[in-house]
Amino acid sequence: MTNSDQWIVQAVQHDPDALLQRWVGEQLASATFRRDLIGEAELRMQSQDFLRHFTRAVQSGALNDVQGEPWTGVRAFLESLSRQRAAQGFTFSEVATFVFSFKQPLFERLRADTSIVDLAEALWTITTLLDRLGLYTVEVYQRSRETIIERQRQEMLELSTPVVKVWEGVVALPLIGTLDSERTQIVMETLLTRIVETSATIAIIDITGVPTVDTLVAQHLLRTVAAAQLMGTECIISGIRPQIAQTIVHLGIDLSGVLTKASLADAIQVAMERSGFRVARGPLA
């Protein structure tokens, strides 16, 4: 351990309560501190936990390798902190400030206690060390945000493909928005699952809310229809607007093997007739 490293260890170990107080004060005074997302008590507890792990790692003398075993506790703490703050809505710069704000209290101690000969080297060492920890925090934060976004995207996909039971033996799948390969796969899986759950013999796929139908979308729909037919379920595609009908003709897409209807109401009427039901206007009660 070099002389500058020893000065850093002494700076961290000496009066840790005062160091913690100074650091927490630095964070509370920062313009980026989010009082709407975290209270002072929670901030103090997190800072105290980090300082405990940091002190233990610094005492090992491995100040140039934050990926080493002595820094396992620090990394684990920062990973937990980053994930928590990412879920709370902090930005990456606000999360990184947690680590970077620790520089000022440490610099003050080094300036007060370190000899002029070792001061420059000690400042460079601690700056490099905290920068690496700050960048590590940002990397974890970024991965956490990507995980959250991907989970939300999957949830949105599932919510955008609701299969509703219209009545006994008939289910309907109203589609809204653009269809791509991934979403179509979810549509197929959701529809087939509901067919099994409801023992449906007729499934209505309504594309009124689908803005465009091209060759790829048509192929996706035909695959879904074919999969349902293999399970003994007849499919009706409704919502074939005039523009979509013209597009299908121009593209030469063959839907002759599929029953199609202009509107969802028409499809429901056909489904009722196939199920043996008939709707008739009667006297009001």
Side-chain angles (χ1 to χ4, degrees), residues 182-212:
E182 184 179 5
R183 190 181 175 204
T184 307
Q185 182 63 32
I186 293 176
V187 167
M188 182 187 296
E189 293 173 359
T190 305
L191 179 62
L192 297 182
T193 299
R194 285 293 288 164
I195 287 174
V196 172
E197 291 173 349
T198 62
S199 301
T201 56
I202 299 176
I204 301 171
I205 302 176
D206 183 68
I207 61 171
T208 304
V210 177
T212 58

Side-chain angles (χ1 to χ4, degrees), residues 124-251:
W124 175 255
T125 300
I126 201 65
T127 298
T128 304
L129 175 61
L130 291 177
D131 284 350
R132 288 172 178 166
L133 292 176
L135 290 175
Y136 181 77
T137 305
V138 171
E139 290 173 2
V140 175
Y141 170 88
Q142 186 64 29
R143 290 199 298 270
S144 301
R145 289 296 300 170
E146 290 172 355
T147 301
I148 292 172
I149 292 171
E150 176 60 22
R151 188 180 69 244
Q152 292 174 338
R153 193 179 69 83
Q154 289 294 333
E155 291 173 351
M156 288 296 294
L157 280 174
E158 293 173 2
L159 289 174
S160 65
T161 56
V163 180
V164 294
K165 181 178 178 181
V166 181
W167 68 83
E168 197 64 34
V170 180
V171 294
L173 172 59
L175 294 174
I176 298 175
T178 304
L179 286 176
D180 56 18
S181 299
E182 184 179 5
R183 190 181 175 204
T184 307
Q185 182 63 32
I186 293 176
V187 167
M188 182 187 296
E189 293 173 359
T190 305
L191 179 62
L192 297 182
T193 299
R194 285 293 288 164
I195 287 174
V196 172
E197 291 173 349
T198 62
S199 301
T201 56
I202 299 176
I204 301 171
I205 302 176
D206 183 68
I207 61 171
T208 304
V210 177
T212 58
V213 174
D214 55 17
T215 304
L216 188 60
V217 171
Q219 289 175 348
H220 289 323
L221 289 174
L222 289 174
R223 289 195 191 99
T224 302
V225 170
Q229 288 175 338
L230 285 175
M231 298 177 66
T233 301
E234 182 183 10
C235 281
I236 304 172
I237 298 179
S238 65
I240 308 291
R241 303 188 304 275
Q243 307 93 305
I244 290 181
Q246 293 179 50
T247 303
I248 290 174
V249 171
H250 289 153
L251 292 175

Side-chain angles (χ1 to χ4, degrees), residues 61-134:
L63 302 185
N64 295 317
D65 182 18
V66 297
Q67 298 298 327
E69 192 278 334
W71 293 89
T72 301
V74 176
R75 294 197 306 275
F77 172 83
L78 291 177
E79 288 171 8
S80 175
L81 180 87
S82 297
R83 292 194 187 99
Q84 178 184 345
R85 294 197 172 190
Q88 289 176 297
F90 284 84
T91 66
F92 74 90
S93 60
E94 291 165 350
V95 174
T97 299
F98 176 80
V99 175
F100 293 143
S101 63
F102 193 42
K103 288 182 180 179
Q104 184 66 25
L106 272 181
F107 287 178
E108 290 174 358
R109 285 210 165 180
L110 290 171
R111 282 199 301 266
D113 301 330
T114 310
S115 70
I116 191 65
V117 176
D118 297 323
L119 179 58
E121 186 176 352
L123 289 178
W124 175 255
T125 300
I126 201 65
T127 298
T128 304
L129 175 61
L130 291 177
D131 284 350
R132 288 172 178 166
L133 292 176

Side-chain angles (χ1 to χ4, degrees), residues 263-281:
S263 67
L264 179 59
D266 293 339
I268 291 176
Q269 183 175 356
V270 171
M272 293 186 69
E273 292 172 355
R274 300 274 175 103
S275 302
F277 292 94
R278 185 169 61 88
V279 178
R281 187 184 299 275

